[in-house]
Amino acid sequence: MRMTPRDWSFLFLLSLLWGGSFFFVGVAIQQLPPLTIVGLRAGLAALTLALILWLRAERWPFARGVLLPFFVMGLLNNLMPFSLLFWAQTMIPSGLASILNASTPIFSIIVAHFLLMDERMAANKAVGILFGFLGVIVLLGGDLLGGASIASLGILACLGAALSYGFASVYGRRFKAMQLTATQVAFGQLSATTLMMAPIVSIIDQPWKLPMPGTPVIVAILALAIVSTALAYVIFFRILASAGAVNVGLVTLLVPVSAILLGTFVLGEDLARRHYFGMLLISIGLLAIDGRVLDRVAAGRRAERGDGAAGQ
């Protein structure tokens, strides 16, 4: 599918919203524990999507056959990756977390290769995965060789989140046959996540015993749930419907840019030179997976050979 100027504008907006999520977590994590942030993000986002469904006069998607898939999707797509990413941001900068999160398509391809018959590994995908993992190695640096450090644990947590998203992308294909709208699917999985998180947060964090957070943290939580989750889901599925999965996947190249800028200029975070080099390698890997740049280079070479033959 070809991207229209409207699609591109939505894509850049989505990258800002998802890049902003790392910034909002960076603010909230200063006063709230990670699991509490996960529960608030899922719960407030589910309430927002419930309102959107009501405004659109769409029914709540809680038929008997979809309840278990919603809980599985909520576990893979929200509970596990959110928890790992938020915990990681207590140890590493938000910009670095966003770079590592950009490896999600790489893990999605690996999972799909082993679990789906129609998603086998192609040559360009193999090259992309190679560059992606080279980028991860650069990001890790010599930390693991010298013994696991706190930063290394944060990096590994982000990679675990990306792997969980990879399983979610494969499992989520089943919702296409359930005749549910994108907003209904998002609402269903976030509602399931909220139900799963409630007892976990109550037992581990006991948030009623926590001191009242300041205004910046409250604003960050509301923005994280309403803007970077509920609204972002609506925009994501809008691009998916009009431009296709390949095009919407380009957002993974843009999210780290906004996250790094916000982390650097607002939170005062600083990334090492190897972090930017690692991001470059991961970006090259994602472009190879996308394939369009390689196709255009090959088409240009064929055209040059054709012009040369015509000139002879």
Side-chain angles (χ1 to χ4, degrees), residues 4-312:
T4 66
R6 184 180 178 86
D7 291 329
W8 278 109
S9 64
F10 275 124
L11 191 73
F12 280 106
L13 176 59
L14 181 61
S15 72
L16 290 175
L17 298 184
W18 276 347
S21 69
F22 292 92
F23 165 72
F24 296 136
V25 172
V27 174
I29 206 73
Q30 298 175 15
Q31 296 183 21
L32 293 174
L35 294 178
T36 296
I37 300 174
V38 174
L40 289 171
R41 178 181 188 178
L44 292 173
L47 288 174
T48 304
L49 289 170
L51 177 61
I52 293 175
L53 288 175
W54 178 73
L55 292 174
R56 292 180 175 179
E58 294 184 32
R59 62 181 176 84
W60 282 21
F62 295 135
R64 181 179 299 177
V66 299
L67 291 180
L68 179 59
F70 277 149
F71 276 93
V72 175
M73 194 65 177
L75 176 68
L76 295 174
N77 203 42
N78 298 320
L79 192 155
M80 289 180 61
F82 287 177
S83 299
L84 289 169
L85 285 171
F86 297 176
W87 177 66
Q89 283 188 245
T90 65
M91 297 174 281
I92 62 175
S94 60
L96 178 55
S98 70
I99 293 173
L100 290 158
N101 191 60
S103 65
T104 295
I106 296 171
F107 285 99
S108 298
I109 290 171
I110 295 173
V111 173
H113 174 74
F114 289 103
L115 297 183
L116 300 176
M117 295 297 296
D118 58 343
E119 291 284 350
R120 294 303 183 187
M121 191 79 66
N124 65 302
K125 293 180 179 180
V127 171
I129 288 172
L130 175 61
F131 273 97
F133 278 108
L134 286 175
V136 170
I137 292 172
V138 170
L139 292 175
L140 285 169
D143 291 340
L144 290 182
L145 296 177
S149 66
I150 292 178
S152 295
L153 292 176
I155 290 173
L156 291 175
C158 289
L159 294 176
L163 177 61
S164 184
Y165 280 134
F167 279 103
S169 66
V170 172
Y171 187 85
R173 287 179 39 150
R174 68 190 59 215
F175 288 103
K176 186 176 182 180
M178 294 181 181
Q179 297 182 339
L180 297 173
T181 67
T183 306
Q184 287 174 322
V185 174
F187 171 65
Q189 67 170 1
L190 283 166
S191 298
T193 304
T194 304
L195 291 175
M196 289 186 287
M197 285 303 304
I200 296 174
V201 173
S202 299
I203 295 172
I204 297 177
D205 287 348
Q206 298 182 347
W208 58 85
K209 294 183 179 180
L210 298 174
M212 186 67 180
T215 300
V217 172
I218 294 175
V219 172
I221 289 293
L222 291 174
L224 176 67
I226 298 172
V227 177
S228 293
T229 306
L231 178 60
Y233 263 128
V234 175
I235 294 175
F236 171 80
F237 287 116
R238 159 68 175 78
I239 303 171
L240 186 64
S242 63
V246 173
N247 286 318
V248 76
L250 294 176
V251 73
T252 56
L253 295 172
L254 302 174
V255 167
V257 177
S258 56
I260 289 171
L261 291 176
L262 287 169
T264 300
F265 292 106
V266 182
L267 297 179
E269 297 175 344
D270 188 25
L271 296 182
R273 187 176 301 175
R274 65 184 173 90
H275 294 150
Y276 292 101
F277 184 53
M279 181 174 66
L280 175 62
L281 291 173
I282 292 175
S283 298
I284 293 173
L286 293 175
L287 289 172
I289 289 170
D290 178 60
R292 281 176 289 188
V293 174
L294 296 176
D295 290 342
R296 290 179 180 176
V297 171
R301 289 179 176 176
R302 287 196 297 270
E304 290 176 358
R305 287 197 298 267
D307 292 340
Q312 292 174 3

